[in-house]
Amino acid sequence: LAQAILSQALLAQAAPHLCRTPPAHLRSSAMAVRAQFESSSEVGVFFRLTNSYCLCALGGSENFYSTLEAELSSHIPVIHATLGGTRIVGRVAVGNRHGLLVPSMATEQEMMHLRDNLPETVTVQRVEERLSALGNCIACNDYIALVHTDLDKETEEVIADTLQVEVFRATVGQNTLVGSYCVLTNHGGMVHARMPAQDMEELSRMIQLPLVAGTANRGSDIIGAGVVANDWAAFCGMQTTATEIGVVEDIFRLQGAAPAMQSALIDAM
C-alpha cells in the first residue's frame, strides 16, 4: 500500500514536458502483450523497442515475430538483426527515437543492415566501451539516460550526442546494471521491487519522471529482461502475471487502471 501511495505521488511530480501523449489511433487499443522468444520469457534479451523502430533477434519462432509485427509493423519498422553474430540484441544495444548505440563487436555488415532499414532520422553509432552489454548498462527514453557509474567519460558523451539525452550516472537500489533493473519510457519508469522507497523517490526527482516498483515473469527483479516498452506498446514475458501486467500498463499509461487489469488476461500465443 505504501508503495502504491508513493507511486501516485511520484506520478503527480513528473515533469509535464517529458510525458508525451501517444497518437489518438493508438490510445484506445494500447495494452501490454505477453510474448516469448522460443521458450524464453526474457523477451527483453532478444529485442529493443523505441518510439521509432523495433530491433529484434534473428532465429525466433513465427509466433514471436507475428506477435511483434501485429502490434508494431503498421507504425514503426521491425528490423531483424544480429550484433556481433549474437541474438541478444536487447542486452548489447540501446537506443531511442534519435539513435541506436551498438557495441564494438558489431560488424560492418550488421551496421550497414541497420542503417539501410532504420528511419533516416535515427543515427547508428558503434561504441568502444569495455562494458559492452550496453542494454544492461543504460536505461533511457527520448530525453534522459541512466547509465552505469563506471562507464567511460567518452561513452557518456557519445550517449548524450547520439541519443540527444541528458545523462545521469546512477544505481537502481545499489544495482549498477541500470538497464537490467529499470525500464523507462517518456511516460514513466519501472524499477525492481526491492529498491527502497526513499531511493526511488530520490531517483524520480533527479530524472523528473514518475517511477513505480514492480516485477515481471512471476516475481523476477530483472525488469529489463521481462518488460519491453515504448510510449504506446509494451511486451512482457509469457510468465508475467495479471497483477504484474496491470502495473506495467498503469505506469506506462497504456490504459486506465481499470481496463488494465482486464486486458492483462489477454495472451499472445
Side-chain angles (χ1 to χ4, degrees), residues 9-266:
L10 296 180
L11 281 166
Q13 294 171 4
H17 69 280
L18 295 184
C19 299
R20 301 196 313 160
T21 302
H25 66 285
L26 297 174
R27 289 198 298 269
S28 61
S29 59
M31 65 177 65
V33 177
R34 289 193 184 100
Q36 64 181 8
F37 186 89
E38 295 182 337
S39 60
S40 175
S41 287
E42 295 188 333
V43 290
V45 172
F46 301 102
F47 79 103
R48 172 68 57 182
L49 178 61
T50 76
N51 288 327
S52 59
Y53 60 88
C54 174
L55 185 66
C56 65
L58 291 172
S61 67
E62 269 313 304
N63 286 344
F64 174 74
Y65 295 127
S66 62
T67 298
L68 289 190
E69 291 172 2
E71 296 293 321
L72 304 174
S73 61
S74 60
H75 311 295
I76 58 175
V78 178
I79 303 163
H80 300 205
T82 60
L83 289 171
T86 71
R87 299 192 296 175
I88 55 172
V89 296
R91 297 298 86 202
V92 298
V94 68
N96 61 12
R97 67 185 176 95
H98 303 295
L100 174 65
L101 302 177
V102 299
S104 57
M105 66 180 181
T107 66
E108 284 299 328
Q109 185 177 1
E110 290 168 338
M111 295 282 287
M112 186 177 300
H113 172 67
L114 292 173
R115 290 186 175 117
D116 288 344
N117 290 278
L118 285 167
E120 293 182 1
T121 55
V122 176
T123 302
V124 184
Q125 178 65 50
R126 186 188 280 116
V127 179
E128 300 291 336
E129 166 62 52
R130 64 185 180 83
L131 300 174
S132 59
L134 301 176
N136 287 340
C137 299
I138 304 166
C140 68
N141 61 17
D142 293 335
Y143 302 97
I144 61 101
L146 297 177
V147 305
H148 192 294
T149 52
D150 294 335
L151 280 187
D152 292 341
K153 180 63 177 176
E154 293 78 7
T155 300
E156 181 181 338
E157 294 172 355
V158 170
I159 294 169
D161 292 342
T162 304
L163 303 185
Q164 301 177 33
V165 292
E166 185 176 2
V167 179
F168 299 90
R169 291 179 182 264
T171 60
V172 178
Q174 306 304 312
N175 291 291
T176 56
L177 295 176
V178 290
S180 298
Y181 292 95
C182 176
V183 174
L184 302 177
T185 74
N186 295 332
H187 295 309
M190 189 171 179
V191 298
H192 72 80
R194 291 181 291 109
M195 185 175 187
Q198 183 177 351
D199 291 354
M200 185 169 67
E201 184 176 3
E202 291 174 357
L203 182 61
S204 176
R205 286 174 177 168
M206 180 175 73
I207 65 176
Q208 287 294 288
L209 200 68
L211 297 176
V212 68
T215 58
N217 288 326
R218 293 189 182 276
S220 171
D221 283 337
I222 314 297
I223 302 297
V227 178
V228 182
N230 66 8
D231 284 358
W232 43 268
F235 298 86
C236 303
M238 192 65 78
Q239 296 179 37
T240 304
T241 67
T243 302
E244 291 171 331
I245 286 183
V247 174
V248 170
E249 292 186 336
D250 191 30
I251 189 60
F252 295 135
R253 301 189 184 181
L254 298 180
Q255 287 190 335
M261 296 302 295
Q262 181 179 2
S263 71
L265 301 176
I266 302 175

